[in-house]
Amino acid sequence: MFLKTSFTTLIVGVFVVYVLHTCWVMYGIVYTKPCDNPKGDNCIVPFLAGNPKLQLSIYTALRPNAEGGHTLIHKEENFDVNTRFERIVNVSLPKKTRNNGTLYALIFVHQAGITPWQDPRQVHLVAQLTTYMVPKLPEISLISGEDQTKAPKEEAQQKKRRDGNPASGGGGGSGSVSDHPSSHWRSRLTLNIVSDHFLFDRESLPSDVHRYLRVFQNGKKMVYLPLLFVDELSNRVKDLVEINSTSMELPLTISYDSISLGRLRFWIHMQDAVYSLQQFGFTEKDADEIKGIFVDTNLYFLALTFFVAAFHLLFDFLAFKNDISFWKQKKSMVGMSSKAVLWRCFSTIVIFLYLLDEQTSLLVLIPAGIGSIIEVWKVKKAFKIQVFWKGGKPTFLFGKLDESERRTEEYDTLAMKYLSYLLYPLCIGGAVYALIFLRYKSWYSWLINSLVNGVYAFGFLFMLPQLFVNYKLKSVAHLPWKAFMYKAFNTFIDDVFAFIITMPTSHRLACFRDDVVFLIYLYQRWLYPVDKTRVNEYGVSYDEKPKGKTHKD
């Protein structure tokens, strides 16, 4: 017991240190030490302090260095860094871009009246207006075969055009269109400039700002030009438009707003973090989920999200640890619903396959996969399954139940019998309705969606056998309450995450459904107080002879 407690205490201690360290790092990001002596030589003063007349010019080019020509798409004369604006311009796409190529935007902030190429005190950044991504498969009616988004003639023309493209798999068109990434148009370009007249100290210049800082000597003073920033976090997957050979012109929304130095530094770190995740294998969609957390919420709500996520991670770990510890030591299934264990295993695997088919964020997918593995292991323990390998083929041996376990099994089977009268017709009816009236990418997608809808809509009914067993035994001592309480905390945290992280609606509703089930378990905990005459979680009674009357069915 001491070792278990000390290990949990160690984990909690590491968690507290991690949270405090993160808070300190965040404070160091948003707070920048200003120059103490404005008249000293160590200070770097802002160019914007002199209120210069500026102009914003945006060009497009096939290469980031503008070799091969450039085209002016927008200019903002009398540009005021403190005035927010949004412009929509139509951008003509070169032939190379339409043929699965790229296009770049060159953003210049320079002195008004001259071109940026002639201004030695201009600042500029390059942003990519295109990105490569695998197109989403169209959803069709599995019975009629009709496409939801395209007419048959248009679909045939596009297939013919792509099959003729050498980049799409060559020659015959035998490969699927969705297997090859295609060029997509980023329809938003978000720009920011630091409007604070901040005095930097040359000796304590932040490294994250240094790469955006351009300075020049003006007499004895060092002057830094406007801090221009392209907000890549605002580029969301939902704003992407697929480019094909007929896309002669596409709209581009140019948004500008001033930004504080602290927010700029925070945004730089977040962009670097997203870029690092993509280098480790995160797809554009996975990175998009993280972008949504930063872009669609304010900083205060973002701080709340961080603490919620940190506690969710802690409770997840503690729940897994206690759940595994409970089942590892469990020798008897007295008071435990084996049907509920089997159903939880099946439902978690179905949910994992569904989330995988929906290309859900790895933030949701990875915990679901780990939970599926643990549930499979629980089934092995609950049914006392032993696996023997003979000649490379597995042989399964099931253990026998004792008298007390048979009694629990009878209650379990009775509860499942009543549930089957309601559950099976609803699931089959829902699957047939979805097949007729809804559209899916494939038969596999329909099967997984039908199964998961049954799990989400009626899955809580399979938790009822355990409640029924508790009622019959008038005991809850056999349940893993430590793991239950950690999961209960995580269930309420999931309610918060349901509004933050993008996930299927049915998965979101299931988070709130679990709240009700845990409340019923807590009510039974209060209704059936634990005493030593009842079987504990290890199938052991501390008193051999019960002091009171046994429950009569």
Side-chain angles (χ1 to χ4, degrees), residues 251-281:
L252 176 66
T253 302
I254 302 172
S255 302
Y256 169 79
D257 196 6
S258 60
I259 191 173
S260 65
L261 179 61
R263 192 179 184 90
L264 171 69
R265 295 189 60 196
F266 178 78
W267 242 231
I268 292 173
H269 280 270
M270 293 306 104
Q271 282 193 175
D272 291 345
V274 172
Y275 177 76
S276 298
L277 291 175
Q278 289 177 314
Q279 296 300 110
F280 279 109

Side-chain angles (χ1 to χ4, degrees), residues 382-450:
F383 288 88
K384 302 178 181 178
I385 301 174
Q386 294 181 337
V387 183
F388 300 96
W389 293 87
K390 294 181 180 179
K393 296 182 179 179
T395 302
F396 299 95
L397 181 63
F398 292 82
K400 296 182 179 180
L401 303 178
D402 58 28
E403 187 63 32
S404 299
E405 289 176 321
R406 289 195 192 96
R407 185 184 178 194
T408 301
E409 191 69 19
E410 290 176 4
Y411 297 149
D412 198 14
T413 304
L414 183 62
M416 287 299 300
K417 179 183 176 181
Y418 296 145
L419 283 178
S420 64
Y421 297 150
L422 175 66
L423 186 66
Y424 297 151
L426 290 175
C427 289
I428 294 173
V432 173
Y433 174 86
L435 180 62
I436 297 174
F437 296 102
L438 301 181
R439 299 173 186 267
Y440 296 95
K441 293 177 288 188
S442 62
W443 285 97
Y444 171 78
S445 181
W446 165 76
L447 177 63
I448 290 297
N449 274 268
S450 300

Side-chain angles (χ1 to χ4, degrees), residues 105-166:
L106 284 68
I107 304 104
F108 290 89
V109 175
H110 56 96
Q111 298 181 78
I114 58 176
T115 64
W117 316 101
Q118 299 171 342
D119 186 6
R121 295 180 180 177
Q122 52 84 13
V123 290
H124 74 277
L125 288 177
V126 179
Q128 194 167 333
L129 294 178
T130 56
T131 185
Y132 287 95
M133 196 174 70
V134 176
K136 185 178 179 181
L137 281 173
E139 294 182 348
I140 62 173
S141 173
L142 298 177
I143 296 178
S144 64
E146 292 180 356
D147 197 329
Q148 184 180 21
T149 57
K150 298 176 184 176
K153 184 178 180 181
E154 180 185 352
E155 186 178 359
Q157 289 177 351
Q158 187 172 8
K159 185 178 186 300
K160 182 178 179 181
R161 181 173 60 247
R162 283 177 174 169
D163 287 344
N165 187 353

Side-chain angles (χ1 to χ4, degrees), residues 498-517:
F499 295 101
I500 298 175
I501 294 180
T502 304
M503 61 181 68
T505 304
S506 52
H507 192 75
R508 184 172 290 147
L509 293 176
C511 296
F512 299 101
R513 178 207 68 194
D514 292 341
D515 297 343
V516 179
V517 176

Side-chain angles (χ1 to χ4, degrees), residues 371-388:
S372 301
I373 296 173
I374 293 177
E375 293 299 332
V376 171
W377 174 71
K378 286 183 188 178
V379 170
K380 179 179 177 295
K381 293 285 292 185
F383 288 88
K384 302 178 181 178
I385 301 174
Q386 294 181 337
V387 183
F388 300 96

